[in-house]
Amino acid sequence: MERVRDYPRPPRLEACQDHVRVEVLGEVLAETRSSLRVLETFHPPTYYLPPEAMNSGLLVPAAGRPSFCEWKGVASYFDVVVGDQRLSRPVWTYNSPSERFRELAGWYALYPGLMDSCWVNGERVVPQQGGFYGGWITSQVEGPFKGDPNHPELI
């Protein structure tokens, strides 16, 4: 069991061999046993997935502005498109991340709450609350978590 209050700030990046599967709009968006996790105080882990794990045919560069993370740099977003269905900006990547997070370059993260389902080692992920956060909650992490309205001191 990992207590997210014990995660560092600034965040840490670690390699992970968990089996990760993401389903969206009735399709498999990603599946891998090689990911990177970003671990930050009071956040459940955010999984970054390698380009070769992604069904890149479902990804279309998104309109709109990039965002900025004080730790990782400028993020670019993707829409997910399946047939005539489109999800706006649920996936992002850092093409040129900060030196500390250079291993993330070109890897993809996503908002679990916008997917049909996300799985870690066969366990369905509970999305981190709050539209801004991309954390993956499983039975292996213990809160409280940023974004939880029952803990406004963390929002």
Side-chain angles (χ1 to χ4, degrees):
M1 177 72 65
E2 299 176 12
R3 296 184 313 185
V4 298
R5 70 173 175 242
D6 296 334
Y7 287 169
R9 187 165 174 88
R12 179 176 76 235
L13 183 63
E14 72 174 25
C16 180
Q17 302 305 311
D18 289 341
H19 179 217
V20 173
R21 180 178 171 92
V22 178
E23 300 169 4
V24 63
L25 301 176
E27 300 283 338
V28 175
L29 176 61
E31 189 159 10
T32 187
R33 289 188 180 273
S34 177
S35 59
L36 296 169
R37 297 190 318 158
V38 173
L39 308 177
E40 181 177 358
T41 308
F42 289 111
H43 288 270
T46 299
Y47 282 79
Y48 283 78
L49 310 175
E52 61 272 11
M54 302 298 290
N55 184 346
S56 60
L58 304 181
L59 300 177
V60 176
R65 298 171 25 135
S67 65
F68 179 77
C69 169
E70 66 182 307
W71 310 115
K72 296 181 284 298
V74 177
S76 299
Y77 288 83
F78 293 86
D79 293 347
V80 174
V81 178
V82 175
D84 62 353
Q85 299 177 323
R86 179 182 288 261
L87 291 177
S88 180
R89 300 171 62 93
V91 177
W92 69 92
T93 190
Y94 293 92
N95 293 315
S96 299
S98 67
E99 183 61 26
R100 179 184 193 129
F101 289 93
R102 69 183 174 277
E103 292 173 71
L104 288 181
W107 288 48
Y108 295 89
L110 53 91
Y111 294 109
L114 298 178
M115 302 293 116
D116 294 347
S117 60
C118 297
W119 303 84
V120 175
N121 296 327
E123 178 183 351
R124 191 171 185 147
V125 169
V126 174
Q128 182 178 10
Q129 291 182 291
F132 179 74
Y133 302 114
W136 298 44
I137 300 171
T138 67
S139 61
Q140 298 306 303
V141 293
E142 175 183 295
F145 306 108
K146 275 192 176 178
D148 181 345
N150 293 320
H151 293 277
E153 73 278 11
L154 301 178
I155 294 176

